[in-house]
Amino acid sequence: MKKKVTKAVFPVAGLGTRFLPATKSIPKEIMTLVDRPLIQYAIDEARAAGIKEFIFVTSRGKSALEDYFDDAPELENALKKKGKTDLLEELRSTNMDSGAIAYVRQNRPQGLGHAVWCARRLIGAEPFAVLLPDDVIAAEKPCLQQMVEAYEEIGGNMVAAMEVAPDKASSYGVLDVAEDMGSVVRVKGMVEKPAQGTAPSNLAVIGRYILTPKVLQNLNRLKQGAGGEIQLTDAIAEETEAGNVNGFRFRGQRYDCGSKAGFLQATVAFGLARPELRDELSDFLTHMVALPKAAQ
Ligand code: UTP
């Protein structure tokens, strides 16, 4: 029987330079979509997939992120006194149990692979999930849950994949597909940020993974040889030779909240999905879109 995936790593040690100056003092993962920080979307998705242990790879200047998960007794008391039970429930749903959450530091931003490697002792010899909180995925069934269900059938390493336009492939890790079985594709190679026109397919990897401990061993080796950034893609790609990597076409809409345009799109989409905001926001958007046309 395959081991259940109960641990998830959240690499949140990046510098977030695309959101400077905001990220000078606010971790990117605390930036809010409507009223919830990005990290909350990732935590909720992981919980829905059955994750019990949450491992954060953090860095300098991320203490707001650690505080976010603590109980907030003063706030809770104030809400209780005012009878704001809905808000109280909402607030309590963000608390994390003591012991369910662990932090490990990445002392220098040496890349995503290095960040995951920093969590190796907390992961141990089990399969584990990795979620990048700046990829936010709107889906009927949360993306990681879809992946865990597929993983329970087929095992191995699994990366979330989505079709991208050929001119966008150079911004992603791209899959070289051995066999396309619909929602699952067997992968024979992976290339990180291929040069324009050289991508082996239009299937790009996004920030959800289920990985075997073997990938940690590969990272260990890469760590010893690396001068610059250590790529997670390279460590996973080593497993393709053994036919042990699958791409998973998830059902849902992914927003790249690590970029300004993606963050704004997600803000609009998640705003429109809220019944209490929908009408006002859509009236406003219709008006805004009409404006430049009227000016012509
Ligand atoms: P990004 O490539 O988006 O980098 O990292 P970044 O530093 O967060 O943002 P920009 O590009 O400077 O604006 C993807 C994910 O990997 C994590 C980030 O925190 C993010 O969740 N990461 C990246 C690390 O944890 N450590 C690193 O050394 C690099």
Side-chain angles (χ1 to χ4, degrees):
M1 228 186 72
K2 284 171 208 79
K3 268 197 164 167
K4 270 203 164 327
V5 183
T6 59
K7 295 184 178 179
V9 178
F10 301 82
V12 291
L15 296 174
T17 53
R18 283 172 287 173
F19 281 96
L20 280 171
T23 42
K24 204 171 146 193
S25 68
I26 310 166
K28 177 169 68 173
E29 302 73 21
I30 287 290
M31 296 196 322
T32 51
L33 268 187
V34 189
D35 51 12
R36 298 163 87 73
L38 291 184
I39 193 68
Q40 189 66 52
Y41 291 89
I43 293 280
D44 290 348
E45 185 180 328
R47 273 194 178 135
I51 297 298
K52 305 279 182 255
E53 289 180 55
F54 303 78
I55 302 165
F56 289 85
V57 183
T58 67
S59 59
R60 284 155 63 92
K62 300 275 177 169
S63 52
L65 196 63
E66 302 189 14
D67 294 343
Y68 174 77
F69 293 114
D70 286 343
D71 292 10
E74 305 86 348
L75 259 177
E76 288 189 15
N77 282 338
L79 292 174
K80 221 184 285 172
K81 271 194 198 140
K82 289 186 176 152
K84 297 194 169 173
T85 43
D86 286 0
L87 268 181
L88 191 61
E89 278 310 301
E90 180 82 31
L91 190 68
R92 284 188 175 149
S93 73
T94 65
N95 297 346
M96 298 289 280
D97 292 340
S98 296
I101 196 161
Y103 300 98
V104 64
R105 299 278 279 216
Q106 185 186 28
N107 58 4
R108 234 185 264 180
Q110 286 182 274
L112 177 59
H114 181 259
V116 172
W117 176 83
C118 290
R120 67 201 178 283
R121 294 208 172 84
L122 295 170
I123 297 164
E126 292 179 34
F128 60 101
V130 177
L131 295 95
L132 305 191
D134 37 14
D135 274 338
V136 177
I137 302 166
E140 216 160 279
K141 182 184 280 188
C143 178
L144 190 66
Q145 189 182 350
Q146 296 175 36
M147 290 175 73
V148 164
E149 287 172 7
Y151 167 84
E152 281 169 356
E153 301 268 315
I154 58 174
N157 296 281
M158 186 174 280
V159 298
M162 68 174 203
E163 323 271 342
V164 295
D167 63 320
K168 295 279 185 306
S170 57
S171 313
Y172 294 88
V174 178
L175 300 181
D176 194 353
V177 176
E179 192 184 355
D180 195 333
M181 294 164 281
S183 58
V184 174
V185 298
R186 200 159 52 75
V187 175
K188 62 177 177 195
M190 290 167 79
V191 194
E192 184 61 36
K193 301 192 175 64
Q196 279 292 349
T198 66
S201 76
N202 64 345
L203 266 185
V205 177
I206 61 121
R208 299 290 183 276
Y209 310 78
I210 296 176
L211 301 176
T212 60
K214 184 74 198 326
V215 171
L216 293 177
Q217 293 169 23
N218 299 345
L219 284 171
N220 234 343
R221 210 165 348 92
L222 288 172
K223 163 90 171 69
Q224 275 145 30
E229 289 211 337
I230 300 171
Q231 302 291 354
L232 185 59
T233 303
D234 295 342
I236 302 171
E238 286 189 27
E239 294 306 293
T240 56
E241 259 174 51
N244 213 11
V245 180
N246 298 300
F248 181 77
R249 282 194 182 94
F250 60 96
R251 295 172 301 283
Q253 175 69 44
R254 171 259 190 182
Y255 296 94
D256 175 11
C257 291
S259 77
K260 286 175 212 170
F263 196 95
L264 290 170
Q265 287 161 18
T267 301
V268 171
F270 280 77
L272 288 173
R274 292 284 186 91
E276 74 279 18
L277 298 173
R278 172 177 258 290
D279 290 348
E280 197 178 334
L281 183 56
S282 78
D283 282 354
F284 171 76
L285 290 170
T286 313
H287 179 69
M288 287 300 279
V289 171
L291 268 184
K293 284 196 192 129
Q296 273 165 20

